[in-house]
Amino acid sequence: KLVSVFVTSLYGRNLLFCGTCSSAFAPAKTASRTTSLNAWLDDNAVGITAPVGFFDPLGLSKGKSDQIMMHYREAELKHGRVAMAACLGWYFNAGGVHPAFNSELSNDPLEAAAQLPLVGWLQFVLGCGAIEWLAEQIKDRPGYKAGDVLGASYWVDDSDEGWLDYQNREMNNGRLAMLAIMGMITQDLYFGDYSDKIFKPLLN
């Protein structure tokens, strides 16, 4: 049943699909590379925000190369974006907004995932596959920055405070959404409640 998070995230990923092609028209530039974690942190202020700063309690970044750190950042951004789309899709579905398939699917997102016809799963697999393929092609461009499938880093860099703030907000919202969607799924699985209050039985 946990697959519902992927189903609800499809709508957000389809929107992303339309924008991934734009970076193909951005001018190429060469990115500088460093070799130490401290240098990577100095060059990548995104995601290092108050009050925790650089959060790595398990030490997963220790001794890692730039390539691995960029992979970690790419994965965090991707999971955060999918989680944000999943949270939005969850409440649209729970609110009764699911016009596909004659609105016959359940308002419970987990039940709706189980009721989804094969054609819906086919759309999900093909849509996600196309987006992943495009993203991999974009990553081969010189100067690619982790998660920047739209090519914004070709036009503005992290010296712009407004752009840096925008990226930090996306990162923090994505981190919160990852926790939120897991809470929603847990509440539905264990308490049978897919509404607006997380762990509502504990509040009574």
Side-chain angles (χ1 to χ4, degrees), residues 22-187:
S22 64
S23 67
F25 301 97
K29 69 177 184 179
T30 302
S32 60
R33 292 193 175 275
T34 56
T35 56
S36 69
L37 175 60
N38 288 337
W40 188 87
L41 294 178
D42 290 340
D43 293 338
N44 296 270
V46 178
I48 306 175
T49 58
V52 296
F54 180 66
F55 185 72
D56 183 21
L58 300 180
L60 298 178
S61 62
K62 185 177 181 180
K64 297 299 188 298
S65 66
D66 279 1
Q67 184 178 8
I68 296 298
M69 291 297 293
M70 291 292 283
H71 175 74
Y72 286 170
R73 175 51 52 84
E74 183 99 31
E76 181 180 23
L77 278 167
K78 184 179 293 185
H79 283 81
R81 289 165 178 170
V82 169
M84 286 188 282
C87 288
L88 182 63
W90 182 282
Y91 280 116
F92 268 105
N93 193 100
V97 182
H98 39 78
F101 309 109
N102 297 320
S103 298
E104 295 177 352
L105 300 181
S106 171
N107 287 347
D108 184 330
L110 297 186
E111 291 184 4
Q115 297 169 356
L116 191 67
L118 179 61
V119 65
W121 285 108
L122 183 62
Q123 178 195 22
F124 168 74
V125 172
L126 293 179
C128 290
I131 292 172
E132 290 297 324
W133 182 84
L134 279 176
E136 288 300 316
Q137 306 311 305
I138 293 171
K139 286 168 64 175
D140 290 337
R141 286 185 57 83
Y144 173 77
K145 187 175 180 180
D148 185 21
V149 293
L150 297 179
S153 61
Y154 294 107
W155 309 105
V156 61
D157 58 32
D158 292 343
S159 63
D160 186 308
E161 292 186 4
W163 175 239
L164 181 61
D165 179 65
Y166 178 86
Q167 294 179 88
N168 280 327
R169 280 184 287 165
E170 181 192 25
M171 185 72 69
N172 289 333
N173 287 335
R175 290 165 175 170
L176 178 61
M178 286 187 276
L179 296 174
I181 191 61
M182 292 309 299
M184 295 175 193
I185 293 172
T186 301
Q187 175 180 263

